[in-house]
Structures are given as C-alpha cells and as structure tokens.
Amino acid sequence: MKPNMSVGEILDALRVNAALPEELSEATPPQLYSSQEVMDLEIQRIFNKEWHCVGREDAFEAPGTYRTAIIGRDPVIVLRDRDGVLRAMSNICRHRMSTLLEGEGQLQTRITCPYHAWSYSLDGHLKAALHMRDNFDVTSCRLPQFRVEIWFGWVYVNLDPGAELLAPRLAGLEKRYESYKVASYRSLFTAEEVWDTNWKILVQNFMDLYHLFWVHAETVEHALPTRLTEAIPGGEGYAVSEQLRVEGTSFEYDDAMEVTNPDIDERLKSVVPLIAVFPTQVMSISPERTFWLSLQPLAVDKVKVFWGVDVYPGSFPEGEEGVRRKEQLRASFDRINNEDKGIIANIARNAAALHAEPGRMSPKELSIVDFQRYLARMLCD
Ligand SMILES: [Fe+2]
C-alpha cells in the first residue's frame, strides 16, 4: 500500500474495509496504525469522547487514595475524597500547567503542585498559592472535573461532559454475564508496562481467537482450545467472544482450581468470555478471576498498558496457598503477554512498510471486524 496516504485516503480505506461483508472481511488498512494524523483524529473523536477504564473500584476504597492516568493527551487524577465521593479531575495545575500527581498513592487533605506549591483540596478547589498579589482570588480556580461511572466493578472516566452513560451501551454484556457477579471480584494485583505497538493492534490481538492455537500453543490452547471458541456479534460499544474451558484444565495455575462462585449460571461455569469495552479496555472473565488491560496510547507505536487480575473472593484461598496462587497467576499472564509482545511490535513496524497489504480474515477474527466498524463509525463522519 502507499505509505504516504493523506488522512482522507486512509479514512476512505477504513470505510471500504468496514463495509465489507463478514465473509469477505479483511485486516485493517496498515496506515491506520502508522499515521500521526490518524492518531490526532483519534484523540479528538475517540479519546476525548469515550469512557476509559482507570482501574477497579476496590483500589480506591480508602479516603485519599488516588491514581493517575492519561486519556488522549489529558493527564487525569482519580481519587476517593474524604467525603466518600470518587472523583476524577484534571492533573494539570491551573497556574503554569505542571503535572500535579504521578503514579498512585495516598493523599492527606491536599494536592500540592511540585512546581510552585499551589495547593488544592481533594475536590479540586485551589486553597492556597503563596507569594501572589492581593488581587488574585484563589477561590477562582478549580481543577476541571470529569464524569465517573462504575461498571462491573471497574471505574471509567470520560472527558466529555455531554457523553452518554456507559452502562446502557454495555447492556448486552450485562445481561449475558451478570451472574458472574464481577463487581464482587477483588483486586489481586495490577501492573503497568509500555508496549511497542499501536493501541489498536493490541485491542485486536486480545480479541483475536485465531492466534491462540499457535502463539499460545504452550499456554492457553490446552485449556481453552481455539476449536472451541466462538466470536459473538458485538454491540455499539463492545466486541465479545467466548472460549470454552476443557473440564479440569487450567492455564493459569499448575492444577485446576475448584470454582466456588455459587451464583453463576450453569452455562457460564465453563465459559471464558473475551470482551473489548471500546475503545481502550479488553478483558477475559472466568468464574474465578478476571484478566484485564486498559490502554493509554503514548505515540502511534507506543502504548502504556495498565493491567490487572481480580479474583472471586469465595474461590481464592487465603494465606500461603493464596500467595502461591497469586504468583502463579502473575507468572502465567506475564508469559502470555510476552508471547504476544514481539509479534504485535512487528505488526506496528510493518504497518509503515511499502509492501504491507491487509489480507482476508478467518471467522475466528469476527471481533476484529466489530472493532474496525466501531473505528469507522467514530472516525469517518
Ligand atoms: Fe495473544
């Protein structure tokens, strides 16, 4: 394909791609992964308008707990205020635009800028600024506040005050999977990494049932074989597919763990759905655990991956056995992530090549088609 296509030509190619009938579906036009102009457009039309996962609600239980994230180009703070309200606000000082907080942690009563010590209350009001003239009124400043929504125990933030609620777009998922009671799962661990790929390649890779038997032949395939997977038609805001667990197997642990989630539908006991909550969250849910990734693009070929595992509290052992299980889970998911990293880094590099040509896709890649159609709806007017 032509490496120097205009953004209009790239969007035309996406429109054509998204309009293909399912049985003729093709991989994403590569320029969509490599173009800086496309990324700029994604920030305007996707990142500034959609809901983004910033972690699990139970990670914000203690008053003053905070975590930072980047949504599009906007750094944000999510915190539990002393009054119990979970808030999201801009992480940019109203003075000279320094970043206020880094990473995650615990606040007492103030957010203090590291540059000139402007200090804000946990609801974002400026409370103190030293060495200013008398004509400056600190009460005139507040950090811009953003909307927060909880779904299945995850916390989502939206920069757009006019955005529609998230939950109604995910109603199809809620109906199908509510008996897992995912909101009751407890955070086991989280991790943050930077992967060398385009964020969309990572979403597609996670939803790709087709690569499991080959890339993950030594890890996932024996427990969740590709032949027992099925992509299900998605919704406006999500894609979904289902894997079936071979009875008594596990790729997460060295032995199968007994599942004690008593509320779960009989059908779901052996089902492991793979879900993309568009645009930036992907997850795998089983009766005893979740495994999820939330993506924050840093550049066309770099993405910050905030990921975690949560466990159904009734299934997960306490004490030493719990520690052992946690280490096994961490090692298993690290290994699976590592099996993917090199491949999707290569795809991002190859996307800029003269001879990168998208090819026909398998029915096991239908969730990728759902995502391509979502991108076309969001990016092509
Ligand atoms: Fe994979």
Side-chain angles (χ1 to χ4, degrees):
M1 293 277 273
K2 293 187 289 176
N4 293 317
M5 284 163 75
S6 71
V7 75
E9 289 172 310
I10 299 171
L11 295 183
D12 283 344
L14 173 62
R15 206 178 279 116
V16 169
N17 171 283
L20 288 170
E22 231 162 70
E23 64 278 11
L24 298 175
S25 58
E26 286 185 4
T28 305
Q31 296 79 7
L32 216 70
Y33 300 138
S34 60
S35 156
Q36 181 59 52
E37 287 89 345
V38 167
M39 170 129 238
D40 295 342
L41 201 64
E42 286 168 354
I43 286 170
Q44 281 174 42
R45 297 192 183 169
I46 297 178
F47 288 88
N48 292 352
K49 303 221 167 278
E50 295 277 71
W51 293 94
H52 303 275
C53 174
V54 292
R56 292 289 291 179
E57 191 182 16
D58 73 348
F60 296 94
E61 259 167 14
T65 311
Y66 76 88
R67 179 168 179 87
T68 61
I70 295 177
I71 300 179
R73 297 218 169 91
D74 278 64
V76 301
I77 302 167
V78 183
L79 62 79
R80 179 75 65 182
D81 199 348
R82 299 268 151 199
D83 60 7
V85 177
L86 188 62
R87 301 182 187 281
M89 61 196 87
S90 172
N91 191 15
I92 305 176
C93 185
R94 297 287 311 265
H95 172 221
R96 295 261 301 279
M97 296 161 285
S98 169
T99 300
L100 293 166
L101 296 175
E102 305 274 356
E104 58 186 11
Q106 185 74 33
L107 297 160
Q108 291 304 316
T109 54
R110 290 281 189 268
I111 300 165
T112 303
C113 180
Y115 201 7
H116 305 91
W118 279 33
S119 128
Y120 302 83
S121 58
L122 300 193
D123 62 4
H125 285 103
L126 183 61
K127 291 292 180 185
L130 297 171
H131 306 294
M132 296 292 287
R133 290 188 183 87
D134 290 344
N135 67 359
F136 175 64
D137 176 13
V138 293
T139 65
S140 63
C141 276
R142 189 182 187 191
L143 301 172
Q145 303 289 300
F146 306 131
R147 283 169 56 200
V148 174
E149 191 171 326
I150 311 290
W151 182 81
F152 272 28
W154 282 283
V155 181
Y156 298 83
V157 173
N158 199 314
L159 300 182
D160 179 2
E164 286 176 27
L165 290 169
L166 175 64
R169 308 169 83 174
L170 306 180
L173 291 174
E174 190 154 348
K175 188 159 173 272
R176 198 171 176 100
Y177 301 120
E178 64 185 347
S179 81
Y180 284 121
K181 298 225 170 9
V182 178
S184 71
Y185 289 26
R186 303 287 300 174
S187 292
L188 188 67
F189 66 83
T190 58
E192 205 169 69
E193 301 169 1
V194 175
W195 291 26
D196 293 323
T197 193
N198 181 270
W199 70 276
K200 299 183 293 298
I201 299 175
L202 211 167
V203 171
Q204 294 176 334
N205 176 71
F206 195 95
M207 296 305 295
D208 172 14
L209 301 169
Y210 191 26
H211 79 299
L212 299 174
F213 79 98
W214 193 240
V215 174
H216 305 297
E218 304 298 320
T219 48
V220 180
E221 177 67 11
H222 74 282
L224 304 170
T226 295
R227 68 189 151 78
L228 299 183
T229 60
E230 185 189 7
I232 296 162
E236 188 201 334
Y238 65 88
V240 57
S241 60
E242 288 184 353
Q243 302 169 287
L244 269 187
R245 193 184 290 275
V246 176
E247 202 181 335
T249 63
S250 170
F251 70 89
E252 297 95 331
Y253 308 112
D254 57 8
D255 54 350
M257 192 167 81
E258 198 191 339
V259 176
T260 53
N261 187 338
D263 302 311
I264 200 166
D265 291 347
E266 197 53 40
R267 182 188 82 87
L268 291 184
K269 281 184 176 162
S270 56
V271 167
V272 179
L274 290 174
I275 296 168
V277 174
F278 298 152
T280 46
Q281 188 190 19
V282 287
M283 63 180 78
S284 153
I285 299 173
S286 80
E288 78 277 14
R289 54 93 193 140
T290 70
F291 163 51
W292 55 270
L293 283 64
S294 177
L295 312 181
Q296 302 169 45
L298 303 175
V300 285
D301 57 357
K302 232 170 242 321
V303 55
K304 188 186 271 191
V305 179
F306 177 45
W307 66 279
V309 170
D310 321 299
V311 291
Y312 183 76
S315 282
F316 206 74
E318 310 255 310
E320 263 179 46
E321 176 64 5
V323 172
R324 194 179 70 85
R325 292 282 187 188
K326 178 178 168 177
E327 282 168 4
Q328 283 185 353
L329 266 174
R330 176 67 202 250
S332 301
F333 287 114
D334 274 334
R335 188 171 170 202
I336 291 162
N337 284 343
N338 286 333
E339 287 170 340
D340 288 313
K341 270 180 201 169
I343 290 176
I344 64 177
N346 285 340
I347 295 171
R349 258 193 307 277
N350 295 341
L354 190 59
H355 295 286
E357 287 282 354
R360 183 73 65 84
M361 289 203 290
S362 150
K364 298 285 183 192
E365 294 167 293
L366 273 183
S367 289
I368 295 174
V369 175
D370 284 339
F371 185 56
Q372 288 170 160
R373 289 175 180 167
Y374 165 80
L375 292 171
R377 285 197 300 276
M378 298 300 289
L379 293 175
C380 313
D381 275 331

